[in-house]
Amino acid sequence: PVLAETMAPAAVRHLLFEPRRIASNCGRTIRMASTTKALAARDASDPTSLRRLSREDLINLAVGHPAELPSEVMAAAMVDAAERLRDTGVVGESATQELNYVARWGSPETLDAIARFLTDQYAFASEPKEKEARGVRPESLMITNGVSHGIDLACAQLTKPGDIVVVELPTYFLAADVFRDNGLDVVGVDGLEEGIGPDGLPDGTPGYFDVGALERRLRVDGLRPRLVYLVPTHSNPRGGTLPERDRKRLVKLAVEFNFYVLADEVYHLLHWGEEPPPPRMCEVEQNVLKVAGLSDWDDDAGKGKGKAAAAWEVRRSDDVYEASATLESSGRSSAARVVSVSSFTKILAPGLRVGWIEAARSIVDMISDRGYVNSGGCVAPFAASIVVSAIENGSQARWLRELRERYRGTSRVLHDAASREEASTGWKVASCPPSGGYFLWIELPADCDERAVTRAAEDAGVAFLPGSRCVPRPLERPREERSCRLCFAYLDEEKIVEGVKRLAESVRNARGK
């Protein structure tokens, strides 16, 4: 078939049409392919990188990209896709090929496969029965073009211009642009300076979203947001993880004050700590609603899975020519308030542009009821089917394990190198290495000017993301103006160590020491 022939350039076509040669290698350690300088040059987290890359010895600790890409994983997945096309053609009931229009959420086969994968991965070391209870339901998923697309969809469908979105300070520095594109007013709530242990005392871990501060703003100041946006697990930029107790508290506040929790959980599966991370936000919400006796994710007060399963079967047909049954038009009400956005960007490859939204069925239906989604259907059916191939042949899970081990090593190297420079620079680093995510957060000393450090770092040939970039304008937070975000996912260990040495020297020069 023409499409099967043209899926790959001539340089790799022989790989696709030597049956199973690559696929048979998936059980071994997966060879990685390095990204290019051109990729770094276009990264939004480093707006001056085009100029900086004229230096051949630049060490870029700013860029939030993976260093290695799974070329063999994707080649094997495309072999599977090409063989399916060749074997079944593109007519009739070959829904797995995803070449036709597909239901706006994604095809049932794709959603079923991704739900199984997420159920397995989110469970970490759980027992089988517990894993099933904590599982991801396919009817609660919607395919997106990535986290940013999911955020934009949620804003478009759940808010109106002039609504308030609360963000943690500091926050993911590009999120505010999406909110402003949708006419939202961005309000900041300071994050905790460091984590709080079970005993109620600071424990030296990175800070995270301050639910207590939000509650005070809600009850005392009368703040009434429509959305609260946060990165609850291994956050960008600081790497903090919101404890389960605070996740429950946040969900309860969302129900009481009628706002949505927009949880960016792109780093949740990039976890390598000894203990598993707290449950994902949708799982927390399900448990909170169940204990409170509220609707169990739109399933008639939790009377079983029958109605949800029946509704899923109806949704499989997805007749876009019929009126959409949104929550408002149906007259139903739901206590659900969590919208989780995530993607395969960090755990497979950014260029796929395949992500997902997880939420209660009523919320997924509202978010998917967007004009262009109704018109065109699922936004990435074919790319998602290739991801499913990687899931089904086991290479996605193996690749994720390799990423965890690699980042466990590079994160420790970055943390140890930064810790060795604390005394000479006066900067502050968390007491323990990162247990997940992409980033390490460093607080510079009070007498250190961020702009002076940036200039000195450019001269030294090292790039970092200034903390001030993580505070949306016109909001201000002086502490972040003396901070920097460093990425441990993009460079090898040797360059990380050298980059920290250059940054430390830049800080000393900026302080005149």
Side-chain angles (χ1 to χ4, degrees):
V2 174
L3 182 61
E5 289 281 356
T6 57
M7 281 176 59
V12 298
R13 190 172 299 148
H14 71 285
L15 299 178
L16 292 179
F17 291 96
E18 283 191 46
R20 305 296 178 187
R21 195 184 82 172
I22 299 174
S24 65
N25 291 330
C26 289
R28 299 201 292 267
T29 299
I30 299 165
R31 191 179 68 217
M32 302 176 180
S34 297
T35 54
T36 64
K37 283 185 179 181
L39 185 63
R42 299 178 64 84
D43 181 67
S45 67
D46 189 13
T48 59
S49 59
L50 279 170
R51 174 167 53 86
R52 290 173 177 171
L53 280 171
S54 61
R55 287 192 56 149
E56 291 296 325
D57 65 340
L58 172 76
I59 296 180
N60 195 335
L61 291 166
V63 62
H65 285 168
E68 314 292 349
L69 296 174
S71 57
E72 289 194 6
V73 169
M74 298 315 304
M78 287 188 286
V79 165
D80 292 341
E83 292 189 350
R84 285 199 306 269
L85 285 173
R86 213 166 33 177
D87 294 342
T88 63
V90 294
V91 296
E93 297 300 320
S94 55
T96 56
Q97 306 312 320
E98 317 290 7
L99 292 181
N100 211 327
Y101 291 106
V102 170
R104 55 191 175 182
W105 308 276
S107 75
E109 292 82 5
T110 292
L111 298 179
D112 286 343
I114 292 177
R116 288 193 301 270
F117 170 76
L118 294 177
T119 293
D120 184 61
Q121 296 298 324
Y122 281 145
F124 289 88
S126 300
E127 295 296 325
K129 287 186 177 179
E130 183 183 358
K131 181 187 296 186
E132 182 179 356
R134 301 175 60 184
V136 175
R137 306 175 188 178
E139 65 267 25
S140 70
L141 298 176
M142 175 186 175
I143 299 300
T144 68
N145 286 134
V147 165
S148 298
H149 180 229
I151 292 173
D152 188 63
L153 276 174
C155 291
Q157 295 302 95
L158 302 178
T159 72
K160 63 181 184 302
D163 281 346
I164 292 172
V165 55
V166 167
V167 301
E168 176 187 359
L169 298 181
T171 190
Y172 169 45
F173 72 104
L174 293 174
D177 292 339
V178 181
F179 301 139
R180 292 194 179 109
D181 284 348
N182 284 275
L184 304 182
D185 294 333
V186 180
V187 172
V189 170
D190 290 350
L192 292 170
E193 292 184 11
E194 59 181 305
I196 304 297
D199 57 2
L201 299 175
D203 60 7
T205 59
Y208 43 76
F209 188 84
D210 190 345
V211 179
L214 172 65
E215 183 169 12
R216 289 189 292 274
R217 297 286 299 275
L218 293 169
R219 299 194 187 283
V220 178
D221 300 339
L223 178 66
R224 292 297 180 264
R226 182 62 172 171
L227 293 179
V228 170
Y229 168 79
L230 74 161
V231 185
T233 308
H234 306 306
S235 70
N236 180 359
R238 292 193 296 166
T241 294
L242 190 70
E244 184 175 5
R245 63 179 182 274
D246 288 339
R247 295 174 187 235
K248 292 178 178 178
R249 188 178 176 189
L250 180 59
V251 170
K252 292 175 182 177
L253 289 172
V255 173
E256 180 180 353
F257 288 95
N258 194 30
F259 61 80
Y260 290 98
V261 176
L262 186 54
D264 182 342
E265 298 190 283
V266 71
Y267 302 105
H268 193 94
L269 293 178
L270 284 178
H271 176 83
W272 49 86
E274 292 184 5
E275 297 296 324
R280 70 190 193 282
M281 288 300 302
C282 284
E283 181 183 344
V284 170
E285 178 180 55
Q286 291 177 59
N287 293 333
V288 167
L289 297 185
K290 184 176 181 180
V291 169
L294 299 172
S295 60
D296 180 19
W297 263 35
D298 311 327
D299 199 5
D300 283 358
K303 293 180 180 179
K305 297 183 179 179
K307 289 202 172 187
W312 174 232
E313 293 302 322
V314 171
R315 273 184 29 167
R316 286 174 180 261
S317 63
D318 189 33
D319 185 354
V320 297
Y321 296 103
E322 293 185 1
S324 301
T326 63
L327 209 61
E328 287 81 359
S329 65
S330 66
R332 295 185 295 115
S333 62
S334 171
R337 289 294 179 271
V338 171
V339 181
S340 170
V341 290
S342 193
S343 84
F344 290 93
T345 294
K346 306 300 187 191
I347 64 173
L348 193 54
L352 287 165
R353 305 317 307 152
V354 176
W356 68 89
I357 288 173
E358 183 188 9
R361 193 177 67 252
S362 60
I363 296 177
V364 171
D365 286 346
M366 281 194 292
I367 292 175
S368 66
D369 189 23
R370 185 80 172 147
Y372 75 87
V373 179
N374 281 331
S375 175
C378 177
V379 296
F382 189 70
S385 73
I386 295 175
V387 172
V388 169
S389 293
I391 289 172
E392 291 180 341
N393 68 27
S395 56
Q396 163 66 97
R398 285 189 288 273
W399 179 256
L400 179 54
R401 288 195 296 270
E402 289 194 25
L403 288 179
R404 288 168 178 161
E405 286 306 307
R406 181 183 188 277
Y407 295 160
R408 183 200 303 271
T410 55
S411 65
R412 180 172 289 277
V413 167
L414 177 58
H415 177 269
D416 291 350
S419 297
R420 288 193 295 270
E421 300 285 359
E422 276 190 297
S424 68
T425 59
W427 66 33
K428 180 181 177 183
V429 183
S431 61
C432 55
S435 59
Y438 256 43
F439 304 111
L440 179 73
W441 185 252
I442 290 179
E443 293 185 4
L444 302 174
D447 63 350
C448 200
D449 180 76
E450 182 186 271
R451 289 169 293 183
V453 175
T454 300
R455 289 192 296 269
E458 288 185 10
D459 293 338
V462 61
F464 66 95
L465 184 73
S468 59
R469 294 284 308 281
C470 302
V471 178
R473 298 185 184 278
L475 304 179
E476 293 182 359
R477 195 169 189 257
R479 190 183 191 91
E480 270 57 65
E481 295 178 3
R482 301 191 313 274
S483 304
C484 55
R485 189 199 76 178
L486 308 180
C487 178
F488 52 77
Y490 186 62
L491 300 174
D492 61 31
E493 295 182 1
E494 182 180 353
K495 288 185 178 178
I496 287 173
V497 172
E498 175 61 25
V500 171
K501 288 180 180 178
R502 295 184 186 184
L503 181 59
E505 184 63 26
S506 302
V507 170
R508 289 190 289 268
N509 289 339
R511 298 178 71 196
K513 296 184 179 181

mmCIF file of all heavy atoms in Angstrom, residues 43-76:
data_model
loop_
_atom_site.group_PDB
_atom_site.id
_atom_site.type_symbol
_atom_site.label_atom_id
_atom_site.label_comp_id
_atom_site.label_asym_id
_atom_site.label_seq_id
_atom_site.Cartn_x
_atom_site.Cartn_y
_atom_site.Cartn_z
ATOM 1 N N ASP A 43 14.434 25.742 21.304
ATOM 2 C CA ASP A 43 13.707 25.496 22.541
ATOM 3 C C ASP A 43 13.195 26.785 23.155
ATOM 4 O O ASP A 43 13.933 27.743 23.324
ATOM 5 C CB ASP A 43 14.611 24.783 23.560
ATOM 6 C CG ASP A 43 13.872 24.507 24.840
ATOM 7 O OD1 ASP A 43 12.943 23.689 24.822
ATOM 8 O OD2 ASP A 43 14.194 25.144 25.852
ATOM 9 N N ALA A 44 11.920 26.789 23.528
ATOM 10 C CA ALA A 44 11.310 28.005 24.069
ATOM 11 C C ALA A 44 11.852 28.358 25.435
ATOM 12 O O ALA A 44 11.727 29.491 25.873
ATOM 13 C CB ALA A 44 9.791 27.834 24.138
ATOM 14 N N SER A 45 12.451 27.404 26.145
ATOM 15 C CA SER A 45 12.954 27.703 27.479
ATOM 16 C C SER A 45 14.284 28.448 27.421
ATOM 17 O O SER A 45 14.816 28.828 28.449
ATOM 18 C CB SER A 45 13.139 26.410 28.283
ATOM 19 O OG SER A 45 14.170 25.635 27.728
ATOM 20 N N ASP A 46 14.833 28.643 26.243
ATOM 21 C CA ASP A 46 16.115 29.312 26.113
ATOM 22 C C ASP A 46 16.073 30.254 24.918
ATOM 23 O O ASP A 46 16.601 29.956 23.854
ATOM 24 C CB ASP A 46 17.221 28.262 25.945
ATOM 25 C CG ASP A 46 18.615 28.891 26.019
ATOM 26 O OD1 ASP A 46 18.724 30.044 26.436
ATOM 27 O OD2 ASP A 46 19.557 28.211 25.637
ATOM 28 N N PRO A 47 15.398 31.410 25.068
ATOM 29 C CA PRO A 47 15.131 32.279 23.926
ATOM 30 C C PRO A 47 16.375 32.842 23.266
ATOM 31 O O PRO A 47 16.317 33.278 22.124
ATOM 32 C CB PRO A 47 14.271 33.396 24.528
ATOM 33 C CG PRO A 47 14.614 33.401 25.980
ATOM 34 C CD PRO A 47 14.879 31.967 26.327
ATOM 35 N N THR A 48 17.510 32.863 23.944
ATOM 36 C CA THR A 48 18.725 33.395 23.330
ATOM 37 C C THR A 48 19.644 32.276 22.846
ATOM 38 O O THR A 48 20.797 32.526 22.519
ATOM 39 C CB THR A 48 19.490 34.288 24.328
ATOM 40 O OG1 THR A 48 19.813 33.503 25.492
ATOM 41 C CG2 THR A 48 18.655 35.477 24.742
ATOM 42 N N SER A 49 19.113 31.038 22.792
ATOM 43 C CA SER A 49 19.988 29.912 22.474
ATOM 44 C C SER A 49 20.524 29.967 21.049
ATOM 45 O O SER A 49 21.583 29.427 20.775
ATOM 46 C CB SER A 49 19.268 28.585 22.707
ATOM 47 O OG SER A 49 18.109 28.499 21.909
ATOM 48 N N LEU A 50 19.790 30.597 20.117
ATOM 49 C CA LEU A 50 20.304 30.698 18.754
ATOM 50 C C LEU A 50 21.641 31.428 18.748
ATOM 51 O O LEU A 50 22.581 31.044 18.058
ATOM 52 C CB LEU A 50 19.287 31.426 17.872
ATOM 53 C CG LEU A 50 18.127 30.574 17.360
ATOM 54 C CD1 LEU A 50 17.095 31.476 16.710
ATOM 55 C CD2 LEU A 50 18.617 29.541 16.354
ATOM 56 N N ARG A 51 21.723 32.490 19.537
ATOM 57 C CA ARG A 51 22.984 33.221 19.621
ATOM 58 C C ARG A 51 24.019 32.418 20.404
ATOM 59 O O ARG A 51 25.182 32.328 20.034
ATOM 60 C CB ARG A 51 22.737 34.575 20.301
ATOM 61 C CG ARG A 51 24.016 35.364 20.563
ATOM 62 C CD ARG A 51 23.681 36.804 20.932
ATOM 63 N NE ARG A 51 22.735 36.888 22.021
ATOM 64 C CZ ARG A 51 23.099 36.854 23.306
ATOM 65 N NH1 ARG A 51 24.371 36.698 23.632
ATOM 66 N NH2 ARG A 51 22.196 36.974 24.247
ATOM 67 N N ARG A 52 23.575 31.808 21.495
ATOM 68 C CA ARG A 52 24.522 31.091 22.338
ATOM 69 C C ARG A 52 25.120 29.874 21.641
ATOM 70 O O ARG A 52 26.247 29.485 21.919
ATOM 71 C CB ARG A 52 23.828 30.636 23.626
ATOM 72 C CG ARG A 52 23.472 31.785 24.564
ATOM 73 C CD ARG A 52 22.649 31.261 25.716
ATOM 74 N NE ARG A 52 22.353 32.309 26.677
ATOM 75 C CZ ARG A 52 21.504 32.160 27.688
ATOM 76 N NH1 ARG A 52 20.863 31.021 27.841
ATOM 77 N NH2 ARG A 52 21.289 33.131 28.532
ATOM 78 N N LEU A 53 24.356 29.252 20.759
ATOM 79 C CA LEU A 53 24.836 28.035 20.137
ATOM 80 C C LEU A 53 25.966 28.282 19.153
ATOM 81 O O LEU A 53 26.526 27.345 18.598
ATOM 82 C CB LEU A 53 23.678 27.302 19.452
ATOM 83 C CG LEU A 53 22.818 26.499 20.420
ATOM 84 C CD1 LEU A 53 21.587 25.998 19.695
ATOM 85 C CD2 LEU A 53 23.587 25.350 21.019
ATOM 86 N N SER A 54 26.301 29.561 18.922
ATOM 87 C CA SER A 54 27.480 29.828 18.120
ATOM 88 C C SER A 54 28.735 29.384 18.859
ATOM 89 O O SER A 54 29.784 29.170 18.262
ATOM 90 C CB SER A 54 27.569 31.327 17.778
ATOM 91 O OG SER A 54 27.676 32.093 18.966
ATOM 92 N N ARG A 55 28.620 29.211 20.182
ATOM 93 C CA ARG A 55 29.712 28.661 20.974
ATOM 94 C C ARG A 55 29.638 27.140 20.923
ATOM 95 O O ARG A 55 28.660 26.539 21.358
ATOM 96 C CB ARG A 55 29.602 29.108 22.431
ATOM 97 C CG ARG A 55 29.935 30.538 22.674
ATOM 98 C CD ARG A 55 30.075 30.797 24.153
ATOM 99 N NE ARG A 55 31.081 29.916 24.772
ATOM 100 C CZ ARG A 55 31.827 30.263 25.814
ATOM 101 N NH1 ARG A 55 31.686 31.457 26.341
ATOM 102 N NH2 ARG A 55 32.706 29.429 26.321
ATOM 103 N N GLU A 56 30.665 26.521 20.424
ATOM 104 C CA GLU A 56 30.661 25.069 20.308
ATOM 105 C C GLU A 56 30.708 24.397 21.672
ATOM 106 O O GLU A 56 30.301 23.254 21.824
ATOM 107 C CB GLU A 56 31.849 24.602 19.448
ATOM 108 C CG GLU A 56 31.725 24.976 17.984
ATOM 109 C CD GLU A 56 30.549 24.302 17.321
ATOM 110 O OE1 GLU A 56 30.238 23.150 17.674
ATOM 111 O OE2 GLU A 56 29.926 24.929 16.449
ATOM 112 N N ASP A 57 31.224 25.108 22.682
ATOM 113 C CA ASP A 57 31.389 24.485 23.997
ATOM 114 C C ASP A 57 30.255 24.837 24.956
ATOM 115 O O ASP A 57 30.380 24.645 26.161
ATOM 116 C CB ASP A 57 32.728 24.889 24.618
ATOM 117 C CG ASP A 57 32.815 26.391 24.917
ATOM 118 O OD1 ASP A 57 32.028 27.159 24.312
ATOM 119 O OD2 ASP A 57 33.656 26.790 25.738
ATOM 120 N N LEU A 58 29.143 25.370 24.426
ATOM 121 C CA LEU A 58 28.019 25.701 25.301
ATOM 122 C C LEU A 58 27.518 24.463 26.038
ATOM 123 O O LEU A 58 27.347 23.391 25.450
ATOM 124 C CB LEU A 58 26.861 26.280 24.495
ATOM 125 C CG LEU A 58 25.566 26.480 25.310
ATOM 126 C CD1 LEU A 58 25.702 27.705 26.196
ATOM 127 C CD2 LEU A 58 24.363 26.605 24.397
ATOM 128 N N ILE A 59 27.260 24.608 27.318
ATOM 129 C CA ILE A 59 26.620 23.564 28.118
ATOM 130 C C ILE A 59 25.246 24.090 28.509
ATOM 131 O O ILE A 59 25.136 25.053 29.265
ATOM 132 C CB ILE A 59 27.456 23.201 29.351
ATOM 133 C CG1 ILE A 59 28.792 22.599 28.906
ATOM 134 C CG2 ILE A 59 26.702 22.229 30.249
ATOM 135 C CD1 ILE A 59 29.708 22.205 30.045
ATOM 136 N N ASN A 60 24.208 23.448 27.999
ATOM 137 C CA ASN A 60 22.847 23.964 28.144
ATOM 138 C C ASN A 60 22.104 23.209 29.234
ATOM 139 O O ASN A 60 21.568 22.127 29.014
ATOM 140 C CB ASN A 60 22.103 23.841 26.812
ATOM 141 C CG ASN A 60 20.839 24.678 26.789
ATOM 142 O OD1 ASN A 60 20.264 24.973 27.837
ATOM 143 N ND2 ASN A 60 20.408 25.051 25.598
ATOM 144 N N LEU A 61 22.062 23.784 30.430
ATOM 145 C CA LEU A 61 21.301 23.230 31.550
ATOM 146 C C LEU A 61 19.896 23.810 31.614
ATOM 147 O O LEU A 61 19.144 23.499 32.530
ATOM 148 C CB LEU A 61 22.029 23.512 32.869
ATOM 149 C CG LEU A 61 23.343 22.756 33.090
ATOM 150 C CD1 LEU A 61 24.120 23.365 34.251
ATOM 151 C CD2 LEU A 61 23.076 21.285 33.357
ATOM 152 N N ALA A 62 19.553 24.640 30.620
ATOM 153 C CA ALA A 62 18.245 25.296 30.625
ATOM 154 C C ALA A 62 17.179 24.468 29.932
ATOM 155 O O ALA A 62 16.031 24.423 30.360
ATOM 156 C CB ALA A 62 18.340 26.670 29.956
ATOM 157 N N VAL A 63 17.570 23.829 28.841
ATOM 158 C CA VAL A 63 16.595 23.233 27.949
ATOM 159 C C VAL A 63 15.894 22.042 28.610
ATOM 160 O O VAL A 63 16.526 21.187 29.224
ATOM 161 C CB VAL A 63 17.277 22.820 26.629
ATOM 162 C CG1 VAL A 63 18.359 21.778 26.857
ATOM 163 C CG2 VAL A 63 16.267 22.329 25.630
ATOM 164 N N GLY A 64 14.554 22.010 28.492
ATOM 165 C CA GLY A 64 13.768 20.927 29.085
ATOM 166 C C GLY A 64 13.436 19.843 28.085
ATOM 167 O O GLY A 64 12.257 19.515 27.894
ATOM 168 N N HIS A 65 14.454 19.301 27.440
ATOM 169 C CA HIS A 65 14.283 18.274 26.419
ATOM 170 C C HIS A 65 14.937 16.973 26.876
ATOM 171 O O HIS A 65 15.877 16.991 27.661
ATOM 172 C CB HIS A 65 14.949 18.690 25.110
ATOM 173 C CG HIS A 65 14.205 19.731 24.360
ATOM 174 N ND1 HIS A 65 14.758 20.411 23.295
ATOM 175 C CD2 HIS A 65 12.954 20.221 24.488
ATOM 176 C CE1 HIS A 65 13.878 21.280 22.805
ATOM 177 N NE2 HIS A 65 12.783 21.177 23.519
ATOM 178 N N PRO A 66 14.482 15.841 26.331
ATOM 179 C CA PRO A 66 15.224 14.598 26.564
ATOM 180 C C PRO A 66 16.506 14.590 25.752
ATOM 181 O O PRO A 66 16.560 15.145 24.652
ATOM 182 C CB PRO A 66 14.257 13.512 26.084
ATOM 183 C CG PRO A 66 13.435 14.193 25.032
ATOM 184 C CD PRO A 66 13.281 15.613 25.505
ATOM 185 N N ALA A 67 17.540 13.945 26.287
ATOM 186 C CA ALA A 67 18.796 13.853 25.550
ATOM 187 C C ALA A 67 18.760 12.747 24.515
ATOM 188 O O ALA A 67 19.408 12.840 23.476
ATOM 189 C CB ALA A 67 19.952 13.601 26.517
ATOM 190 N N GLU A 68 18.018 11.708 24.806
ATOM 191 C CA GLU A 68 18.008 10.536 23.946
ATOM 192 C C GLU A 68 16.595 10.271 23.440
ATOM 193 O O GLU A 68 15.617 10.469 24.167
ATOM 194 C CB GLU A 68 18.509 9.303 24.715
ATOM 195 C CG GLU A 68 19.764 9.537 25.540
ATOM 196 C CD GLU A 68 20.995 9.780 24.686
ATOM 197 O OE1 GLU A 68 20.900 9.545 23.461
ATOM 198 O OE2 GLU A 68 22.023 10.194 25.225
ATOM 199 N N LEU A 69 16.517 9.809 22.214
ATOM 200 C CA LEU A 69 15.220 9.515 21.607
ATOM 201 C C LEU A 69 15.172 8.052 21.173
ATOM 202 O O LEU A 69 16.181 7.501 20.715
ATOM 203 C CB LEU A 69 14.974 10.441 20.416
ATOM 204 C CG LEU A 69 14.876 11.929 20.766
ATOM 205 C CD1 LEU A 69 14.769 12.767 19.506
ATOM 206 C CD2 LEU A 69 13.688 12.189 21.665
ATOM 207 N N PRO A 70 14.023 7.412 21.293
ATOM 208 C CA PRO A 70 13.914 5.968 21.072
ATOM 209 C C PRO A 70 13.750 5.603 19.603
ATOM 210 O O PRO A 70 12.681 5.153 19.159
ATOM 211 C CB PRO A 70 12.674 5.602 21.884
ATOM 212 C CG PRO A 70 11.807 6.819 21.785
ATOM 213 C CD PRO A 70 12.749 7.998 21.768
ATOM 214 N N SER A 71 14.808 5.765 18.830
ATOM 215 C CA SER A 71 14.691 5.531 17.388
ATOM 216 C C SER A 71 14.282 4.088 17.093
ATOM 217 O O SER A 71 13.435 3.849 16.214
ATOM 218 C CB SER A 71 16.015 5.862 16.696
ATOM 219 O OG SER A 71 17.073 5.099 17.254
ATOM 220 N N GLU A 72 14.867 3.122 17.784
ATOM 221 C CA GLU A 72 14.535 1.727 17.491
ATOM 222 C C GLU A 72 13.136 1.372 17.981
ATOM 223 O O GLU A 72 12.434 0.572 17.338
ATOM 224 C CB GLU A 72 15.576 0.796 18.101
ATOM 225 C CG GLU A 72 16.914 0.861 17.388
ATOM 226 C CD GLU A 72 17.831 -0.281 17.769
ATOM 227 O OE1 GLU A 72 17.383 -1.194 18.501
ATOM 228 O OE2 GLU A 72 18.987 -0.280 17.330
ATOM 229 N N VAL A 73 12.730 1.946 19.096
ATOM 230 C CA VAL A 73 11.366 1.721 19.573
ATOM 231 C C VAL A 73 10.358 2.175 18.528
ATOM 232 O O VAL A 73 9.408 1.456 18.179
ATOM 233 C CB VAL A 73 11.120 2.463 20.904
ATOM 234 C CG1 VAL A 73 9.631 2.447 21.272
ATOM 235 C CG2 VAL A 73 11.931 1.836 22.027
ATOM 236 N N MET A 74 10.567 3.391 18.001
ATOM 237 C CA MET A 74 9.616 3.923 17.043
ATOM 238 C C MET A 74 9.697 3.188 15.707
ATOM 239 O O MET A 74 8.686 2.982 15.033
ATOM 240 C CB MET A 74 9.847 5.423 16.846
ATOM 241 C CG MET A 74 9.652 6.249 18.118
ATOM 242 S SD MET A 74 8.166 5.796 19.039
ATOM 243 C CE MET A 74 6.898 5.998 17.805
ATOM 244 N N ALA A 75 10.903 2.781 15.304
ATOM 245 C CA ALA A 75 11.027 2.027 14.064
ATOM 246 C C ALA A 75 10.278 0.705 14.165
ATOM 247 O O ALA A 75 9.575 0.293 13.233
ATOM 248 C CB ALA A 75 12.500 1.783 13.740
ATOM 249 N N ALA A 76 10.423 0.028 15.321
ATOM 250 C CA ALA A 76 9.713 -1.240 15.511
ATOM 251 C C ALA A 76 8.206 -1.028 15.533
ATOM 252 O O ALA A 76 7.442 -1.828 14.965
ATOM 253 C CB ALA A 76 10.167 -1.902 16.818
#
